[in-house]
Amino acid sequence: MSGLFSGLIALLLVFGGGYWTGQYYEAKAQQAEVDKLNAQARAKEVALAAAVTTTANALRSSNEKAKTIAKQRDAAIDAGTYKLRVPVKTTCPVPATADTPAPAGDSAGEARAELDPAFGKALFEIAEEGDRAINKLNACINLYNQAVESQKGIK
């Protein structure tokens, strides 16, 4: 009986030792896998941060160039060197005479009205605001697509 009891204890010790050893090595293997995946995730995070920084810098540079161009245009409008004209429809008929000289310039006889400079600048500002919003949206879409592409490898 004592031999059976000793054998049972030896079996339990062997099983317990093997179980503990297996659990220890499995925990080490899992930790190594977690470390490897964390390193991959950090590398992707750094790449995405670099992409965000690059895109933000490009967007900022583009916006600064647009502001500079707008300031130059506004200064030209204020100085009167840049005139804003729109075609207008005339409602009173003008009788044509046989000796009417051809109109000079590029309007080809079309009636034109000059816009108030403040109104013209306001129109340009509306268009520029739309351009900035579109550029910002396109930058966001590009960053989103880069993020999605980078995450395809992670499962």
Side-chain angles (χ1 to χ4, degrees):
M1 181 83 144
S2 153
L4 182 63
F5 186 66
S6 300
L8 187 58
I9 290 180
L11 182 64
L12 285 174
L13 287 174
V14 169
F15 175 75
Y19 180 77
W20 181 83
T21 304
Q23 196 175 28
Y24 173 77
Y25 286 122
E26 181 60 25
K28 283 184 80 169
Q30 287 178 0
Q31 187 60 46
E33 182 70 16
V34 167
D35 291 343
K36 180 180 123 188
L37 292 174
N38 281 339
Q40 289 174 351
R42 278 189 213 101
K44 288 180 182 180
E45 182 181 346
V46 167
L48 284 174
V52 167
T53 302
T54 302
T55 302
N57 288 339
L59 186 60
R60 191 175 302 112
S61 173
S62 173
N63 285 341
E64 289 300 321
K65 286 179 186 176
K67 283 181 185 178
T68 302
I69 291 170
K71 284 181 184 177
Q72 291 172 348
R73 185 202 56 242
D74 287 348
I77 289 172
D78 289 338
T81 57
Y82 190 71
K83 304 250 184 213
L84 305 169
R85 295 184 181 97
V86 293
V88 294
K89 199 176 202 180
T90 56
T91 56
C92 42
V94 178
T97 60
D99 60 345
T100 303
D106 61 356
S107 64
E110 185 179 58
R112 294 190 169 265
E114 188 171 328
L115 291 178
D116 179 51
F119 181 74
K121 288 194 282 188
L123 284 176
F124 278 121
E125 180 58 35
I126 291 169
E128 289 164 356
E129 184 178 337
D131 287 345
R132 283 191 302 270
I134 289 170
N135 289 338
K136 188 175 180 180
L137 177 64
N138 286 337
C140 288
I141 290 170
N142 289 339
L143 285 174
Y144 172 79
N145 288 336
Q146 286 178 353
V148 167
E149 285 298 317
S150 73
Q151 295 300 316
K152 283 186 178 180
I154 295 177
K155 293 182 181 175

